[in-house]
PDB file of all heavy atoms in Angstrom:
ATOM      1  N   PRO A1165      14.949 166.214 -93.565  1.00 92.00           N
ATOM      2  CA  PRO A1165      13.735 166.421 -94.345  1.00 92.00           C
ATOM      3  C   PRO A1165      13.537 167.918 -94.671  1.00 92.00           C
ATOM      4  O   PRO A1165      14.118 168.866 -94.057  1.00 92.00           O
ATOM      5  CB  PRO A1165      12.609 166.171 -93.321  1.00 92.00           C
ATOM      6  CG  PRO A1165      13.241 165.216 -92.217  1.00 92.00           C
ATOM      7  CD  PRO A1165      14.572 165.746 -92.233  1.00 92.00           C
ATOM      8  N   ASP A1166      12.851 168.172 -95.792  1.00 91.00           N
ATOM      9  CA  ASP A1166      12.719 169.522 -96.245  1.00 91.00           C
ATOM     10  C   ASP A1166      12.169 170.434 -95.125  1.00 91.00           C
ATOM     11  O   ASP A1166      11.191 169.925 -94.420  1.00 91.00           O
ATOM     12  CB  ASP A1166      11.775 169.616 -97.553  1.00 91.00           C
ATOM     13  CG  ASP A1166      12.428 169.114 -98.741  1.00 91.00           C
ATOM     14  OD1 ASP A1166      13.693 169.177 -98.805  1.00 91.00           O
ATOM     15  OD2 ASP A1166      11.700 168.688 -99.636  1.00 91.00           O
ATOM     16  N   GLY A1167      12.624 171.580 -94.940  1.00 91.00           N
ATOM     17  CA  GLY A1167      12.127 172.514 -93.941  1.00 91.00           C
ATOM     18  C   GLY A1167      12.717 172.386 -92.521  1.00 91.00           C
ATOM     19  O   GLY A1167      12.336 173.144 -91.603  1.00 91.00           O
ATOM     20  N   LEU A1168      13.476 171.191 -92.291  1.00 94.00           N
ATOM     21  CA  LEU A1168      14.032 171.007 -91.017  1.00 94.00           C
ATOM     22  C   LEU A1168      15.517 171.303 -91.033  1.00 94.00           C
ATOM     23  O   LEU A1168      16.232 170.852 -91.936  1.00 94.00           O
ATOM     24  CB  LEU A1168      13.761 169.596 -90.574  1.00 94.00           C
ATOM     25  CG  LEU A1168      14.150 169.193 -89.134  1.00 94.00           C
ATOM     26  CD1 LEU A1168      13.211 170.028 -88.110  1.00 94.00           C
ATOM     27  CD2 LEU A1168      13.987 167.730 -88.953  1.00 94.00           C
ATOM     28  N   THR A1169      15.979 172.082 -89.999  1.00 95.00           N
ATOM     29  CA  THR A1169      17.449 172.360 -90.001  1.00 95.00           C
ATOM     30  C   THR A1169      18.073 171.767 -88.763  1.00 95.00           C
ATOM     31  O   THR A1169      17.305 171.367 -87.784  1.00 95.00           O
ATOM     32  CB  THR A1169      17.672 173.895 -89.965  1.00 95.00           C
ATOM     33  OG1 THR A1169      17.152 174.557 -88.807  1.00 95.00           O
ATOM     34  CG2 THR A1169      17.066 174.542 -91.245  1.00 95.00           C
ATOM     35  N   ALA A1170      19.249 171.832 -88.738  1.00 96.00           N
ATOM     36  CA  ALA A1170      20.089 171.396 -87.375  1.00 96.00           C
ATOM     37  C   ALA A1170      19.686 172.268 -86.307  1.00 96.00           C
ATOM     38  O   ALA A1170      19.462 171.814 -85.145  1.00 96.00           O
ATOM     39  CB  ALA A1170      21.507 171.385 -87.722  1.00 96.00           C
ATOM     40  N   SER A1171      19.488 173.534 -86.540  1.00 96.00           N
ATOM     41  CA  SER A1171      19.108 174.442 -85.524  1.00 96.00           C
ATOM     42  C   SER A1171      17.652 174.146 -84.920  1.00 96.00           C
ATOM     43  O   SER A1171      17.437 174.299 -83.774  1.00 96.00           O
ATOM     44  CB  SER A1171      19.006 176.005 -86.049  1.00 96.00           C
ATOM     45  OG  SER A1171      20.328 176.394 -86.234  1.00 96.00           O
ATOM     46  N   ASP A1172      16.835 173.789 -85.927  1.00 95.00           N
ATOM     47  CA  ASP A1172      15.381 173.354 -85.433  1.00 95.00           C
ATOM     48  C   ASP A1172      15.390 172.093 -84.518  1.00 95.00           C
ATOM     49  O   ASP A1172      14.786 172.039 -83.586  1.00 95.00           O
ATOM     50  CB  ASP A1172      14.591 173.089 -86.617  1.00 95.00           C
ATOM     51  CG  ASP A1172      14.291 174.175 -87.638  1.00 95.00           C
ATOM     52  OD1 ASP A1172      14.167 175.298 -87.145  1.00 95.00           O
ATOM     53  OD2 ASP A1172      13.962 173.904 -88.775  1.00 95.00           O
ATOM     54  N   LEU A1173      16.318 171.258 -84.914  1.00 96.00           N
ATOM     55  CA  LEU A1173      16.432 170.024 -84.045  1.00 96.00           C
ATOM     56  C   LEU A1173      16.873 170.357 -82.692  1.00 96.00           C
ATOM     57  O   LEU A1173      16.315 169.796 -81.654  1.00 96.00           O
ATOM     58  CB  LEU A1173      17.392 168.986 -84.722  1.00 96.00           C
ATOM     59  CG  LEU A1173      16.897 168.328 -85.901  1.00 96.00           C
ATOM     60  CD1 LEU A1173      17.985 167.368 -86.539  1.00 96.00           C
ATOM     61  CD2 LEU A1173      15.651 167.530 -85.520  1.00 96.00           C
ATOM     62  N   LEU A1174      17.810 171.187 -82.572  1.00 97.00           N
ATOM     63  CA  LEU A1174      18.197 171.634 -81.244  1.00 97.00           C
ATOM     64  C   LEU A1174      17.201 172.522 -80.494  1.00 97.00           C
ATOM     65  O   LEU A1174      16.920 172.173 -79.395  1.00 97.00           O
ATOM     66  CB  LEU A1174      19.573 172.509 -81.365  1.00 97.00           C
ATOM     67  CG  LEU A1174      20.076 172.940 -80.042  1.00 97.00           C
ATOM     68  CD1 LEU A1174      20.463 171.831 -79.150  1.00 97.00           C
ATOM     69  CD2 LEU A1174      21.426 173.787 -80.362  1.00 97.00           C
ATOM     70  N   GLU A1175      16.731 173.492 -81.134  1.00 97.00           N
ATOM     71  CA  GLU A1175      15.805 174.434 -80.434  1.00 97.00           C
ATOM     72  C   GLU A1175      14.394 173.744 -80.254  1.00 97.00           C
ATOM     73  O   GLU A1175      13.772 174.060 -79.068  1.00 97.00           O
ATOM     74  CB  GLU A1175      15.600 175.686 -81.290  1.00 97.00           C
ATOM     75  CG  GLU A1175      16.838 176.533 -81.409  1.00 97.00           C
ATOM     76  CD  GLU A1175      16.785 177.632 -82.365  1.00 97.00           C
ATOM     77  OE1 GLU A1175      15.781 177.936 -82.993  1.00 97.00           O
ATOM     78  OE2 GLU A1175      17.857 178.146 -82.776  1.00 97.00           O
ATOM     79  N   GLN A1176      13.814 172.993 -81.136  1.00 95.00           N
ATOM     80  CA  GLN A1176      12.417 172.448 -80.970  1.00 95.00           C
ATOM     81  C   GLN A1176      12.382 171.101 -80.435  1.00 95.00           C
ATOM     82  O   GLN A1176      11.342 170.687 -79.769  1.00 95.00           O
ATOM     83  CB  GLN A1176      11.749 172.564 -82.250  1.00 95.00           C
ATOM     84  CG  GLN A1176      11.737 173.970 -82.947  1.00 95.00           C
ATOM     85  CD  GLN A1176      11.214 173.940 -84.358  1.00 95.00           C
ATOM     86  OE1 GLN A1176      10.772 172.940 -84.829  1.00 95.00           O
ATOM     87  NE2 GLN A1176      11.331 175.070 -85.005  1.00 95.00           N
ATOM     88  N   HIS A1177      13.497 170.282 -80.627  1.00 96.00           N
ATOM     89  CA  HIS A1177      13.428 168.931 -80.333  1.00 96.00           C
ATOM     90  C   HIS A1177      14.627 168.531 -79.289  1.00 96.00           C
ATOM     91  O   HIS A1177      14.616 167.349 -78.914  1.00 96.00           O
ATOM     92  CB  HIS A1177      13.476 167.910 -81.496  1.00 96.00           C
ATOM     93  CG  HIS A1177      12.305 168.370 -82.499  1.00 96.00           C
ATOM     94  ND1 HIS A1177      11.115 167.877 -82.266  1.00 96.00           N
ATOM     95  CD2 HIS A1177      12.300 169.030 -83.598  1.00 96.00           C
ATOM     96  CE1 HIS A1177      10.379 168.303 -83.273  1.00 96.00           C
ATOM     97  NE2 HIS A1177      11.043 169.068 -84.056  1.00 96.00           N
ATOM     98  N   ARG A1178      15.527 169.367 -78.942  1.00 96.00           N
ATOM     99  CA  ARG A1178      16.526 169.087 -78.009  1.00 96.00           C
ATOM    100  C   ARG A1178      17.450 167.981 -78.420  1.00 96.00           C
ATOM    101  O   ARG A1178      17.881 167.146 -77.668  1.00 96.00           O
ATOM    102  CB  ARG A1178      15.945 168.903 -76.574  1.00 96.00           C
ATOM    103  CG  ARG A1178      15.251 170.128 -76.031  1.00 96.00           C
ATOM    104  CD  ARG A1178      14.642 169.858 -74.669  1.00 96.00           C
ATOM    105  NE  ARG A1178      15.733 169.488 -73.777  1.00 96.00           N
ATOM    106  CZ  ARG A1178      15.367 168.786 -72.705  1.00 96.00           C
ATOM    107  NH1 ARG A1178      14.241 168.459 -72.411  1.00 96.00           N
ATOM    108  NH2 ARG A1178      16.365 168.353 -71.849  1.00 96.00           N
ATOM    109  N   VAL A1179      17.752 168.071 -79.733  1.00 96.00           N
ATOM    110  CA  VAL A1179      18.788 167.115 -80.286  1.00 96.00           C
ATOM    111  C   VAL A1179      19.942 167.904 -80.865  1.00 96.00           C
ATOM    112  O   VAL A1179      19.611 168.730 -81.835  1.00 96.00           O
ATOM    113  CB  VAL A1179      18.108 166.107 -81.341  1.00 96.00           C
ATOM    114  CG1 VAL A1179      19.104 165.174 -81.930  1.00 96.00           C
ATOM    115  CG2 VAL A1179      16.964 165.367 -80.686  1.00 96.00           C
ATOM    116  N   ALA A1180      21.095 167.614 -80.494  1.00 95.00           N
ATOM    117  CA  ALA A1180      22.155 168.386 -80.984  1.00 95.00           C
ATOM    118  C   ALA A1180      22.940 167.479 -82.184  1.00 95.00           C
ATOM    119  O   ALA A1180      23.345 166.409 -81.841  1.00 95.00           O
ATOM    120  CB  ALA A1180      23.255 168.758 -79.937  1.00 95.00           C
ATOM    121  N   VAL A1181      23.049 168.102 -83.303  1.00 96.00           N
ATOM    122  CA  VAL A1181      23.717 167.589 -84.456  1.00 96.00           C
ATOM    123  C   VAL A1181      24.511 168.576 -85.129  1.00 96.00           C
ATOM    124  O   VAL A1181      24.372 169.777 -84.818  1.00 96.00           O
ATOM    125  CB  VAL A1181      22.731 166.968 -85.522  1.00 96.00           C
ATOM    126  CG1 VAL A1181      21.858 165.842 -84.982  1.00 96.00           C
ATOM    127  CG2 VAL A1181      21.831 168.025 -86.129  1.00 96.00           C
ATOM    128  N   ALA A1182      25.493 168.107 -85.714  1.00 97.00           N
ATOM    129  CA  ALA A1182      26.341 169.135 -86.535  1.00 97.00           C
ATOM    130  C   ALA A1182      25.745 169.386 -87.869  1.00 97.00           C
ATOM    131  O   ALA A1182      25.467 168.336 -88.668  1.00 97.00           O
ATOM    132  CB  ALA A1182      27.790 168.503 -86.669  1.00 97.00           C
ATOM    133  N   PRO A1183      25.470 170.618 -88.288  1.00 97.00           N
ATOM    134  CA  PRO A1183      24.983 170.877 -89.647  1.00 97.00           C
ATOM    135  C   PRO A1183      25.992 170.481 -90.725  1.00 97.00           C
ATOM    136  O   PRO A1183      27.202 170.738 -90.618  1.00 97.00           O
ATOM    137  CB  PRO A1183      24.746 172.373 -89.614  1.00 97.00           C
ATOM    138  CG  PRO A1183      25.527 172.847 -88.460  1.00 97.00           C
ATOM    139  CD  PRO A1183      25.792 171.868 -87.561  1.00 97.00           C
ATOM    140  N   GLY A1184      25.492 169.750 -91.735  1.00 96.00           N
ATOM    141  CA  GLY A1184      26.340 169.209 -92.795  1.00 96.00           C
ATOM    142  C   GLY A1184      27.123 170.300 -93.435  1.00 96.00           C
ATOM    143  O   GLY A1184      28.233 170.100 -94.042  1.00 96.00           O
ATOM    144  N   GLU A1185      26.523 171.483 -93.699  1.00 95.00           N
ATOM    145  CA  GLU A1185      27.271 172.520 -94.397  1.00 95.00           C
ATOM    146  C   GLU A1185      28.526 172.955 -93.770  1.00 95.00           C
ATOM    147  O   GLU A1185      29.381 173.604 -94.397  1.00 95.00           O
ATOM    148  CB  GLU A1185      26.238 173.674 -94.772  1.00 95.00           C
ATOM    149  CG  GLU A1185      25.715 174.353 -93.552  1.00 95.00           C
ATOM    150  CD  GLU A1185      24.312 173.845 -93.289  1.00 95.00           C
ATOM    151  OE1 GLU A1185      23.948 172.721 -93.754  1.00 95.00           O
ATOM    152  OE2 GLU A1185      23.620 174.471 -92.484  1.00 95.00           O
ATOM    153  N   GLY A1186      28.651 172.570 -92.540  1.00 95.00           N
ATOM    154  CA  GLY A1186      29.857 172.958 -91.746  1.00 95.00           C
ATOM    155  C   GLY A1186      31.027 172.107 -92.271  1.00 95.00           C
ATOM    156  O   GLY A1186      32.185 172.359 -91.983  1.00 95.00           O
ATOM    157  N   PHE A1187      30.800 171.085 -93.009  1.00 95.00           N
ATOM    158  CA  PHE A1187      31.776 170.198 -93.678  1.00 95.00           C
ATOM    159  C   PHE A1187      31.985 170.492 -95.139  1.00 95.00           C
ATOM    160  O   PHE A1187      32.516 169.602 -95.813  1.00 95.00           O
ATOM    161  CB  PHE A1187      31.376 168.665 -93.276  1.00 95.00           C
ATOM    162  CG  PHE A1187      31.325 168.420 -91.803  1.00 95.00           C
ATOM    163  CD1 PHE A1187      30.091 168.644 -91.222  1.00 95.00           C
ATOM    164  CD2 PHE A1187      32.448 168.096 -91.201  1.00 95.00           C
ATOM    165  CE1 PHE A1187      30.097 168.308 -89.829  1.00 95.00           C
ATOM    166  CE2 PHE A1187      32.360 167.793 -89.842  1.00 95.00           C
ATOM    167  CZ  PHE A1187      31.219 167.922 -89.063  1.00 95.00           C
ATOM    168  N   GLY A1188      31.342 171.334 -95.592  1.00 95.00           N
ATOM    169  CA  GLY A1188      31.451 171.744 -96.975  1.00 95.00           C
ATOM    170  C   GLY A1188      30.088 171.932 -97.714  1.00 95.00           C
ATOM    171  O   GLY A1188      29.138 171.439 -97.164  1.00 95.00           O
ATOM    172  N   GLU A1189      29.998 172.522 -98.858  1.00 94.00           N
ATOM    173  CA  GLU A1189      28.782 172.677 -99.567  1.00 94.00           C
ATOM    174  C   GLU A1189      28.119 171.419 -99.885  1.00 94.00           C
ATOM    175  O   GLU A1189      26.910 171.425 -99.823  1.00 94.00           O
ATOM    176  CB  GLU A1189      29.213 173.442-100.929  1.00 94.00           C
ATOM    177  CG  GLU A1189      27.937 173.749-101.748  1.00 94.00           C
ATOM    178  CD  GLU A1189      26.880 174.770-100.952  1.00 94.00           C
ATOM    179  OE1 GLU A1189      27.352 175.550-100.153  1.00 94.00           O
ATOM    180  OE2 GLU A1189      25.705 174.633-101.067  1.00 94.00           O
ATOM    181  N   ARG A1190      28.797 170.324-100.006  1.00 94.00           N
ATOM    182  CA  ARG A1190      28.172 169.030-100.444  1.00 94.00           C
ATOM    183  C   ARG A1190      27.302 168.430 -99.070  1.00 94.00           C
ATOM    184  O   ARG A1190      26.495 167.697 -99.315  1.00 94.00           O
ATOM    185  CB  ARG A1190      29.120 167.993-100.826  1.00 94.00           C
ATOM    186  CG  ARG A1190      29.691 168.340-102.229  1.00 94.00           C
ATOM    187  CD  ARG A1190      30.633 167.301-102.736  1.00 94.00           C
ATOM    188  NE  ARG A1190      29.884 165.903-102.769  1.00 94.00           N
ATOM    189  CZ  ARG A1190      30.574 164.860-102.895  1.00 94.00           C
ATOM    190  NH1 ARG A1190      31.853 164.805-103.046  1.00 94.00           N
ATOM    191  NH2 ARG A1190      29.865 163.616-103.005  1.00 94.00           N
ATOM    192  N   GLY A1191      27.513 169.049 -98.013  1.00 95.00           N
ATOM    193  CA  GLY A1191      26.887 168.657 -96.803  1.00 95.00           C
ATOM    194  C   GLY A1191      25.555 169.316 -96.545  1.00 95.00           C
ATOM    195  O   GLY A1191      24.836 168.994 -95.570  1.00 95.00           O
ATOM    196  N   ARG A1192      25.264 170.304 -97.393  1.00 95.00           N
ATOM    197  CA  ARG A1192      23.981 171.177 -97.220  1.00 95.00           C
ATOM    198  C   ARG A1192      22.878 170.196 -97.248  1.00 95.00           C
ATOM    199  O   ARG A1192      22.708 169.295 -98.111  1.00 95.00           O
ATOM    200  CB  ARG A1192      24.009 172.168 -98.319  1.00 95.00           C
ATOM    201  CG  ARG A1192      22.721 173.112 -97.992  1.00 95.00           C
ATOM    202  CD  ARG A1192      22.872 174.426 -98.906  1.00 95.00           C
ATOM    203  NE  ARG A1192      24.022 175.142 -98.780  1.00 95.00           N
ATOM    204  CZ  ARG A1192      24.334 175.973 -97.698  1.00 95.00           C
ATOM    205  NH1 ARG A1192      23.516 176.087 -96.730  1.00 95.00           N
ATOM    206  NH2 ARG A1192      25.393 176.667 -97.715  1.00 95.00           N
ATOM    207  N   GLY A1193      21.983 170.371 -96.269  1.00 96.00           N
ATOM    208  CA  GLY A1193      20.760 169.468 -96.120  1.00 96.00           C
ATOM    209  C   GLY A1193      20.989 168.146 -95.469  1.00 96.00           C
ATOM    210  O   GLY A1193      20.074 167.430 -95.328  1.00 96.00           O
ATOM    211  N   TRP A1194      22.224 167.995 -94.942  1.00 97.00           N
ATOM    212  CA  TRP A1194      22.503 166.770 -94.201  1.00 97.00           C
ATOM    213  C   TRP A1194      22.862 167.184 -92.699  1.00 97.00           C
ATOM    214  O   TRP A1194      23.246 168.327 -92.428  1.00 97.00           O
ATOM    215  CB  TRP A1194      23.672 166.086 -94.833  1.00 97.00           C
ATOM    216  CG  TRP A1194      23.175 165.354 -96.122  1.00 97.00           C
ATOM    217  CD1 TRP A1194      23.029 166.043 -97.306  1.00 97.00           C
ATOM    218  CD2 TRP A1194      22.970 163.938 -96.347  1.00 97.00           C
ATOM    219  NE1 TRP A1194      22.667 165.070 -98.273  1.00 97.00           N
ATOM    220  CE2 TRP A1194      22.599 163.850 -97.715  1.00 97.00           C
ATOM    221  CE3 TRP A1194      22.978 162.931 -95.523  1.00 97.00           C
ATOM    222  CZ2 TRP A1194      22.280 162.643 -98.219  1.00 97.00           C
ATOM    223  CZ3 TRP A1194      22.740 161.644 -96.076  1.00 97.00           C
ATOM    224  CH2 TRP A1194      22.319 161.525 -97.479  1.00 97.00           C
ATOM    225  N   ALA A1195      22.994 166.256 -91.873  1.00 97.00           N
ATOM    226  CA  ALA A1195      23.475 166.469 -90.492  1.00 97.00           C
ATOM    227  C   ALA A1195      24.220 165.341 -90.022  1.00 97.00           C
ATOM    228  O   ALA A1195      24.175 164.286 -90.597  1.00 97.00           O
ATOM    229  CB  ALA A1195      22.266 166.750 -89.548  1.00 97.00           C
ATOM    230  N   ARG A1196      25.206 165.631 -89.074  1.00 96.00           N
ATOM    231  CA  ARG A1196      26.072 164.562 -88.615  1.00 96.00           C
ATOM    232  C   ARG A1196      25.654 164.383 -87.114  1.00 96.00           C
ATOM    233  O   ARG A1196      25.690 165.403 -86.289  1.00 96.00           O
ATOM    234  CB  ARG A1196      27.485 164.845 -88.813  1.00 96.00           C
ATOM    235  CG  ARG A1196      28.491 163.754 -88.363  1.00 96.00           C
ATOM    236  CD  ARG A1196      29.911 164.216 -88.655  1.00 96.00           C
ATOM    237  NE  ARG A1196      30.493 164.867 -87.494  1.00 96.00           N
ATOM    238  CZ  ARG A1196      31.733 165.038 -87.279  1.00 96.00           C
ATOM    239  NH1 ARG A1196      32.616 164.514 -88.153  1.00 96.00           N
ATOM    240  NH2 ARG A1196      32.142 165.740 -86.305  1.00 96.00           N
ATOM    241  N   LEU A1197      25.500 163.101 -86.725  1.00 94.00           N
ATOM    242  CA  LEU A1197      25.225 162.791 -85.369  1.00 94.00           C
ATOM    243  C   LEU A1197      26.264 161.969 -84.817  1.00 94.00           C
ATOM    244  O   LEU A1197      26.673 160.962 -85.382  1.00 94.00           O
ATOM    245  CB  LEU A1197      23.891 161.973 -85.306  1.00 94.00           C
ATOM    246  CG  LEU A1197      23.478 161.366 -84.118  1.00 94.00           C
ATOM    247  CD1 LEU A1197      22.947 162.514 -83.112  1.00 94.00           C
ATOM    248  CD2 LEU A1197      22.252 160.464 -84.255  1.00 94.00           C
ATOM    249  N   SER A1198      26.718 162.326 -83.600  1.00 93.00           N
ATOM    250  CA  SER A1198      27.811 161.582 -82.913  1.00 93.00           C
ATOM    251  C   SER A1198      27.102 160.415 -82.120  1.00 93.00           C
ATOM    252  O   SER A1198      26.215 160.619 -81.452  1.00 93.00           O
ATOM    253  CB  SER A1198      28.631 162.486 -82.054  1.00 93.00           C
ATOM    254  OG  SER A1198      29.630 161.729 -81.240  1.00 93.00           O
ATOM    255  N   LEU A1199      27.926 159.252 -82.225  1.00 92.00           N
ATOM    256  CA  LEU A1199      27.422 158.102 -81.447  1.00 92.00           C
ATOM    257  C   LEU A1199      28.292 157.942 -80.260  1.00 92.00           C
ATOM    258  O   LEU A1199      28.117 156.987 -79.604  1.00 92.00           O
ATOM    259  CB  LEU A1199      27.430 156.881 -82.362  1.00 92.00           C
ATOM    260  CG  LEU A1199      26.578 156.922 -83.665  1.00 92.00           C
ATOM    261  CD1 LEU A1199      26.651 155.611 -84.362  1.00 92.00           C
ATOM    262  CD2 LEU A1199      25.085 157.206 -83.251  1.00 92.00           C
ATOM    263  N   ALA A1200      29.154 158.855 -79.988  1.00 89.00           N
ATOM    264  CA  ALA A1200      30.046 158.696 -78.859  1.00 89.00           C
ATOM    265  C   ALA A1200      29.444 159.225 -77.532  1.00 89.00           C
ATOM    266  O   ALA A1200      29.852 160.218 -76.944  1.00 89.00           O
ATOM    267  CB  ALA A1200      31.378 159.445 -79.174  1.00 89.00           C
ATOM    268  N   THR A1201      28.484 158.550 -77.184  1.00 90.00           N
ATOM    269  CA  THR A1201      27.821 158.887 -75.878  1.00 90.00           C
ATOM    270  C   THR A1201      27.174 157.579 -75.314  1.00 90.00           C
ATOM    271  O   THR A1201      27.187 156.499 -75.910  1.00 90.00           O
ATOM    272  CB  THR A1201      26.694 160.015 -76.088  1.00 90.00           C
ATOM    273  OG1 THR A1201      26.135 160.464 -74.861  1.00 90.00           O
ATOM    274  CG2 THR A1201      25.571 159.452 -76.866  1.00 90.00           C
ATOM    275  N   ALA A1202      26.699 157.677 -74.034  1.00 92.00           N
ATOM    276  CA  ALA A1202      26.115 156.519 -73.470  1.00 92.00           C
ATOM    277  C   ALA A1202      24.932 156.098 -74.227  1.00 92.00           C
ATOM    278  O   ALA A1202      24.138 156.892 -74.779  1.00 92.00           O
ATOM    279  CB  ALA A1202      25.711 156.913 -71.973  1.00 92.00           C
ATOM    280  N   ASP A1203      24.542 154.737 -74.079  1.00 93.00           N
ATOM    281  CA  ASP A1203      23.372 154.191 -74.753  1.00 93.00           C
ATOM    282  C   ASP A1203      22.112 154.849 -74.389  1.00 93.00           C
ATOM    283  O   ASP A1203      21.190 155.120 -75.285  1.00 93.00           O
ATOM    284  CB  ASP A1203      23.392 152.743 -74.555  1.00 93.00           C
ATOM    285  CG  ASP A1203      24.325 151.963 -75.219  1.00 93.00           C
ATOM    286  OD1 ASP A1203      25.083 152.385 -76.078  1.00 93.00           O
ATOM    287  OD2 ASP A1203      24.512 150.725 -74.836  1.00 93.00           O
TER     288      ASP A1203
END
């Protein structure tokens, strides 16, 4: 959502995601969440 970053999710909500811009300019404003963890 506008105004929310991957860093905000980690620092404020304790959710770790990979920022989309780490995968190229087209990823800006997106995040990638891994499902490779326990339910």
Side-chain angles (χ1 to χ4, degrees):
D1166 286 338
L1168 187 64
T1169 67
S1171 293
D1172 294 336
L1173 286 174
L1174 180 59
E1175 294 168 10
Q1176 298 170 14
H1177 302 282
R1178 297 180 55 209
V1179 177
V1181 297
E1185 57 268 15
F1187 299 91
E1189 184 58 34
R1190 291 182 60 193
R1192 185 168 306 284
W1194 290 75
R1196 188 177 85 162
L1197 175 69
S1198 173
L1199 303 178
T1201 189
D1203 288 348

